[in-house]
Amino acid sequence: MAKQLFIFLMLFIAFSSLNAQDTLHQQMINILKDHGMGEKSEVMEIASWITDVHGPRLTGSPGLERALVWAEETLNSWGMSNVHREAWAPFDRGWELQHFEMHAHSPQYWTVLAYPKAWSPSTKGTVSGEVVYLKVNDESDLENYRGKLKGKFVLMDTIRDVSEWMDPPASRYDSEDLLEMANATMPTPRPRNRNYNLSRFTLNRAIWKMLNEEKPHAVLDRSYKGDLGTIFVSGAVASGEESFRPYEKDAAVIPQATVSVEHYNRMLRLLSKNVPVKISMEIKARYTPVKEQYNLIAEIPGSDLADEVVIFGAHFDSWHTATGATDNGAGSAVMMETARLLLKGIEESGIKPRRTLRLALWTGEEQGLFGSRHYVKEHFDDTKPETLQKNKKVAAYYNLDNGTGKIRGVYLQGNEGAGTVFRQWLSAFSDLDANTLTLRNTGGTDHLPFDGVNIPGFQFIQDPIAYFNRTHHSNMDNWDHLIEEDLQQAATIIASFVWHTSQRDEILPRKPRRSEQ
Ligand SMILES: [Zn+2]
């Protein structure tokens, strides 16, 4: 009996100490919901400025610069503190598209649906000529084409079969998907070597070196996925000895465009019948000289724990063929709205945040998380004593970068301790479908550099909607594909997470360091 009573008391103490730290701040949650969910929300308007007015926001481009100026002015007008840019470098080459058209003239006229790849140079005015399929299996095949590509358009890809959409393109996670995530076990570190194909790399280098010497009018590939007018386009390939990156200083790049799968396949089918295909094209683009790029930082000052910080952010840059709405105008608009909601909450409740709340809008994410990596290295490197001190004062980093879908929970990145805390915080939003915690890792975006230096860094689980099959890096990534209620829900929940992280006595639990595991 005494033993049972003891256990009961211990459990009681354990729960009450958890509650003392992590009681829900209901008054604040009510204010956040009031401003975040419904007519008072500004998330769609913020998104429209980021996309319709200032999109696209390719890293290094004048468009991104204009969007940054707008965001700085907007954050200042709301009363955010310490709004400033932090430079990262090197980034040597901006790019802006000024005009593009492409037509087929033979065997019939048709308007070709295509987009220049980012950092493609201009063609010499309107150029026209026949298309040639470059069939290269090894380096010796290249000799078949030497001296024959000038004045031609080179097709690089094979035919890709298209099948019809029998299922709707957009979806939400169902209870089975979420249960599977919730039941996931602790992630194990992945082996480093991913079977890198060196011979393919060497062959590609040889192909691009030859193309750069032969100087065809342009190189054309097809959208690697998508159809029905949706084209997925990213950056051009450089022909340099050192790298394939087109934004590097003096990188040699020839004109390149991505063609819709249907039009590309048609050209290849015509060639297979020995029917010549003649096309014309004009690309007008300009490189803009840059030396560095900028992350945008803004704060809400803390009070008794002001030297500690809660960071929330998203990448502000995008690809170039649409306006970067779901990738990542959505995340950027949600994080800006989160800041605005927190300001409202502070104003209406009269309660000050304990820790400093810091919004970060990153750039260079699409080229390799350049902005956030640089920021973390500069401020929070855990191998240097000065920055390790600052690292220990980061309570958490929250990121949003998986499209327009509402939040269904959190990827814990293997941080079990944080899960216990989040369970409590999510209970305030059980009516908004955000209930799932998974130990699973998710990758590919700006929480990774934080996780890499053992700062609790999280990306939220979001409904997929049509992100991966329609909008992510495509010409259809436009404002129209944002879902208002979903972005409102995300901003409200993230604002609550940031607030609760700020007000607890301790920073969030950290994972045991690798050496301690
Ligand atoms: Zn993204």
Side-chain angles (χ1 to χ4, degrees), residues 268-430:
L268 272 192
R269 286 191 296 267
L270 288 165
L271 288 185
S272 73
K273 295 177 169 58
N274 291 318
V275 177
V277 181
K278 203 176 155 200
I279 59 178
S280 68
M281 172 198 270
E282 184 183 15
I283 302 177
K284 236 194 266 176
R286 68 180 183 114
Y287 291 129
T288 55
V290 291
K291 286 200 187 73
E292 55 192 23
Q293 288 292 284
Y294 311 95
N295 297 318
L296 185 58
I297 306 293
E299 291 182 341
I300 301 173
S303 51
D304 63 315
L305 299 172
D307 64 330
E308 295 182 3
V309 59
V310 188
I311 311 177
F312 52 107
H315 76 87
F316 201 53
D317 63 305
S318 75
W319 282 108
H320 62 293
T321 60
T323 59
T326 64
D327 187 19
N328 188 18
S332 300
V334 163
M335 289 304 181
M336 284 182 72
E337 173 75 348
T338 294
R340 196 188 68 83
L341 295 178
L342 288 163
L343 289 168
K344 289 285 173 204
I346 293 160
E347 186 189 314
E348 290 187 14
S349 70
I351 305 169
K352 287 203 161 62
R354 299 185 68 191
R355 296 182 173 82
T356 297
L357 314 182
R358 182 179 298 163
L359 165 68
L361 297 175
W362 314 114
T363 56
E365 192 271 353
E366 297 294 1
Q367 287 68 40
L369 320 184
F370 290 161
S372 58
R373 272 190 213 286
H374 186 278
Y375 187 84
V376 167
K377 193 164 172 43
E378 180 160 314
H379 294 283
F380 306 128
D381 188 342
D382 57 350
T383 63
K384 295 194 190 117
E386 326 82 78
T387 42
L388 180 60
Q389 282 318 305
K390 285 171 75 184
N391 175 316
K392 287 181 175 164
K393 296 201 177 280
V394 183
Y397 173 69
Y398 299 109
N399 194 72
L400 196 73
D401 183 23
N402 275 167
T404 192
K406 69 180 166 190
I407 288 177
R408 306 305 301 273
V410 190
Y411 291 101
L412 294 173
Q413 299 291 135
N415 186 337
E416 273 180 308
T420 318
V421 179
F422 291 168
R423 170 77 50 217
Q424 173 89 341
W425 295 351
L426 281 177
S427 69
F429 300 96
S430 53

